[in-house]
Amino acid sequence: MLLLGIDLGTSFIKVSVLDAQTGKRIVSAQYPETESEIISQQKGWAEQDPELWWQNTKKAILKANASGQYDPKDIAAIGIAYQMHGLVVVDKGQKVLRNSIIWCDSRAVEIGNEAFQSLEPKGFLRSHLNSPGNFTASKLSWVKNNEPELYERVHKFMLPGDFLCMCLTKQINSNPSSISEGILWDFEKDALSDTLLDYYGIDRSLVPEVQAIFSNYGSIDKGVAAELGLSEKAIVSYKAGDQPNNALSLGVIDAGEVAATAGTSGVIYAVADHLIFDKQSRVNSFAHVNHSKDQSNIGVLLCINGTGIQNSWIKKLTAQGLDYDQINQKAAEVAIGSEGIVVLPFGNGAERMLNNKTVNGHIENLDFVRHDASHIWRAVQEGIAHSFRYGLDIIKENEIHPTVIKAGYANMFLSPVFQQSFAGVTNVPVELYENDGSVGAALGAGIGAQLYKDKKEAFSGLKKIKTIEPQHKDIYNDLYSNWKESLLQKL
């Protein structure tokens, strides 16, 4: 019996097929090979075509199938991890009506701010754990206000993972973890938020059916099964945003455990066993994958929009012909501190942890005689690590004090410079594991299909690669103080 995990990222789709009994990966594939485009028709806008997500998902699955290492009809359950907070709208025929407004789009910031000013006196933070911000509900409100004719045709709105599930099963549904990403879950009532729906004038009929996080979301559609070689008996049994899914895949389940990622965006994700929120709403609290009515398990998420995308941007501009390994090797030859260069990696929209301000990206203190590209490459990675420290300090304000941070050995955590900078400036050991989102989604599917007795059994084979202990703490602390002073001047 096999499991299929799908990870819908901003840059590409990755799929993995696992043996359910052993938990071992049989094959992985991704599509496209190059990073997918983010469409930005106006400043602060960020969109992608959901139909392209679906086409790329099918190509990734067929690419995995072509390995010949398994029979696709043996896949019993499918799990989906996805880029969080996006908005997809479809009509009654399940046709996509517009591009998805994705996670780093800032157009709905003011809509969310106005809603919060009106609703917070009624205790909105206490019940929803977040301000509406520029999350999914606010994005839908933007469509309602600015594209009224299109809005009239909307049958359902969805998160990106719900959309992929619809493509596979032709059924439209969601769960409390996903709905809470849109700030549409009232945790005190453990139900959809009448408060925000009513404020924005959104009819409840537009909300997908809400199911348990681990459950049967539907069997594979006959035509899709034929096209992809899958069994019609296979089910989608798990859906979660990429960060809750990443935490699950690292075994971050219980209160006090913390995970980090540094892909296109960067995240610190901590688990609490009670309803928790930041009074300034700089971090976000969502239902974790093991949240239930009987036991509150809340994922406290600190997001930095400009991490891997900053690294990718500087690579495109300054490192033609070099891969990331070569860049990392060159960066490692530069001394800690990059000889004075300071990088603020905030050029990817409004930053929640900066109170929804758009600071933009900055590279400071360049010396055309002393500095070359290697200095900039190191400074970018150090600047990103400093932004994680800034976010971790906010998490600590909310009474979460990690003694270790777990991360997948992937993306920026592949770089020794970033590993050392992250551990040094946060002063917290980092454990790196062999995992990725598609593997986590596959194992989540196994839990949803009740192939494992519990979540810990599903991830019992998690393999730790190494631990990065903090070093040069005094040096990194001084560098961080200088970096923070530069940031505060721009806030």
Side-chain angles (χ1 to χ4, degrees):
M1 189 175 295
L2 306 180
L3 303 170
L4 170 65
I6 303 170
D7 186 5
L8 164 54
T10 311
S11 299
F12 52 79
I13 307 290
K14 185 172 183 179
V15 302
S16 290
V17 178
L18 274 62
D19 183 306
Q21 184 174 5
T22 65
K24 291 185 178 179
R25 183 187 338 219
I26 297 172
V27 67
S28 292
Q30 74 176 50
Y31 196 89
E33 297 299 332
T34 56
E35 295 180 0
S36 297
E37 177 188 10
I38 295 177
I39 303 163
S40 183
Q41 297 176 341
Q42 294 188 35
K43 183 179 179 181
W45 289 22
E47 300 182 350
Q48 289 185 321
D49 180 1
E51 292 290 358
L52 189 58
W53 293 340
W54 174 229
Q55 295 303 318
N56 289 344
T57 298
K58 291 191 290 184
K59 289 175 181 177
I61 293 171
L62 291 172
K63 185 177 177 181
N65 291 352
S67 69
Q69 298 184 54
Y70 63 92
D71 183 347
K73 289 194 176 347
D74 289 338
I75 293 172
I78 299 172
I80 300 171
Y82 60 88
Q83 50 171 292
M84 298 172 69
H85 314 305
L87 171 71
V88 181
V89 289
V90 298
D91 63 16
K92 289 183 179 180
Q94 299 189 354
K95 180 181 178 181
V96 174
L97 294 174
R98 68 173 331 279
N99 283 340
S100 172
I101 303 175
I102 65 171
W103 57 275
C104 55
D105 188 288
S106 303
R107 76 186 72 181
V109 168
E110 288 308 313
I111 292 173
N113 288 346
E114 290 177 11
F116 188 56
Q117 289 172 9
S118 296
L119 297 172
E120 174 50 17
K122 302 174 184 177
F124 190 85
L125 266 182
R126 187 179 63 251
S127 56
H128 294 71
L129 311 185
N130 308 275
S131 71
N134 61 327
F135 292 120
T136 310
S138 300
K139 290 168 181 171
L140 183 59
S141 179
W142 184 93
V143 174
K144 179 175 181 285
N145 296 338
N146 292 274
E147 299 173 346
E149 292 183 3
L150 184 148
Y151 184 82
E152 287 298 317
R153 297 164 55 200
V154 174
H155 171 60
K156 295 288 181 183
F157 76 88
M158 289 173 277
L159 282 295
D162 299 330
F163 168 75
L164 274 192
C165 181
M166 181 199 77
C167 293
L168 287 162
T169 66
K170 307 305 179 187
Q171 298 187 39
I172 299 177
N173 44 48
S174 194
N175 60 56
S177 182
S178 296
I179 291 295
S180 71
E181 290 177 35
I183 320 304
L184 280 168
W185 194 254
D186 187 322
F187 285 89
E188 290 187 324
K189 296 180 179 178
D190 197 45
L192 280 173
S193 169
D194 290 324
T195 301
L196 196 56
L197 288 170
D198 290 345
Y199 179 86
Y200 282 150
I202 296 170
D203 194 284
R204 291 175 67 93
S205 67
L206 301 188
V207 184
E209 175 192 357
V210 179
Q211 299 183 196
I213 296 168
F214 298 99
S215 62
N216 185 340
Y217 293 102
S219 300
I220 305 304
D221 173 74
K222 182 177 180 180
V224 172
E227 182 179 5
L228 299 179
L230 302 172
S231 168
E232 295 175 37
K233 296 180 180 180
I235 62 170
V236 176
S237 53
Y238 168 73
K239 292 187 289 187
D242 51 10
Q243 299 309 323
N245 177 73
N246 177 69
L248 177 70
S249 68
L250 289 165
V252 173
I253 299 170
D254 298 324
E257 296 180 322
V258 179
T261 58
T264 303
S265 62
V267 165
I268 297 176
Y269 188 98
V271 178
D273 59 3
H274 60 284
L275 300 185
I276 182 173
F277 59 88
D278 178 60
K279 292 181 180 179
Q280 298 183 49
S281 205
R282 296 164 297 173
V283 298
N284 306 116
S285 299
F286 308 118
H288 193 33
V289 295
N290 59 346
H291 175 78
S292 67
K293 187 175 183 178
D294 297 327
Q295 174 57 57
S296 293
N297 285 292
I298 302 299
V300 181
L301 187 153
L302 180 285
C303 182
I304 307 156
N305 291 349
T307 55
I309 195 170
Q310 163 81 75
N311 206 36
S312 170
W313 181 84
I314 204 69
K315 177 180 182 292
K316 290 175 183 176
L317 261 62
T318 65
Q320 288 82 359
L322 299 181
D323 60 27
Y324 284 112
D325 284 342
Q326 292 169 312
I327 291 171
N328 294 337
Q329 289 170 13
K330 290 287 187 180
E333 295 172 4
V334 175
I336 296 172
S338 309
E339 293 197 40
I341 297 178
V342 173
V343 172
L344 303 178
F346 301 123
N348 197 29
E351 294 284 357
R352 188 78 168 190
M353 74 174 185
L354 304 180
N355 299 109
N356 280 326
K357 292 184 179 179
T358 301
V359 173
N360 295 318
H362 299 265
I363 301 177
E364 301 178 354
N365 302 333
L366 286 172
D367 184 320
F368 300 145
V369 176
R370 293 166 53 209
H371 297 143
D372 60 23
S374 298
H375 293 84
I376 297 175
W377 297 337
R378 182 176 189 108
V380 164
Q381 298 193 35
E382 290 180 339
I384 294 167
H386 293 327
S387 69
F388 272 99
R389 161 69 185 276
Y390 188 91
L392 184 61
D393 286 351
I394 294 172
I395 285 181
K396 288 179 178 178
E397 289 179 32
N398 287 275
E399 301 179 359
I400 297 173
H401 299 274
T403 56
V404 66
I405 296 174
K406 296 181 179 180
Y409 187 54
N411 300 315
M412 293 199 67
F413 278 106
L414 292 170
S415 167
V417 168
F418 183 72
Q419 294 170 13
Q420 294 156 9
S421 299
F422 185 100
V425 76
T426 62
N427 195 24
V428 180
V430 178
E431 294 179 352
L432 296 177
Y433 289 84
E434 186 180 291
N435 91 312
D436 65 41
S438 61
V439 172
L443 291 170
I447 298 169
Q450 299 182 344
L451 301 179
Y452 303 111
K453 66 180 182 180
D454 56 31
K455 298 168 188 65
K456 289 191 180 294
E457 181 187 35
F459 293 92
S460 60
L462 186 64
K463 180 181 178 182
K464 183 168 73 173
I465 296 173
K466 59 180 175 179
T467 300
I468 312 299
E469 296 289 346
Q471 296 181 359
H472 309 294
K473 290 176 283 186
D474 291 341
I475 295 174
Y476 278 114
N477 199 49
D478 288 342
L479 290 171
Y480 174 71
S481 295
N482 292 333
W483 180 92
K484 184 177 179 181
E485 181 180 352
S486 180
L487 172 62
L488 294 178
Q489 291 173 357
K490 296 170 179 62
L491 289 175

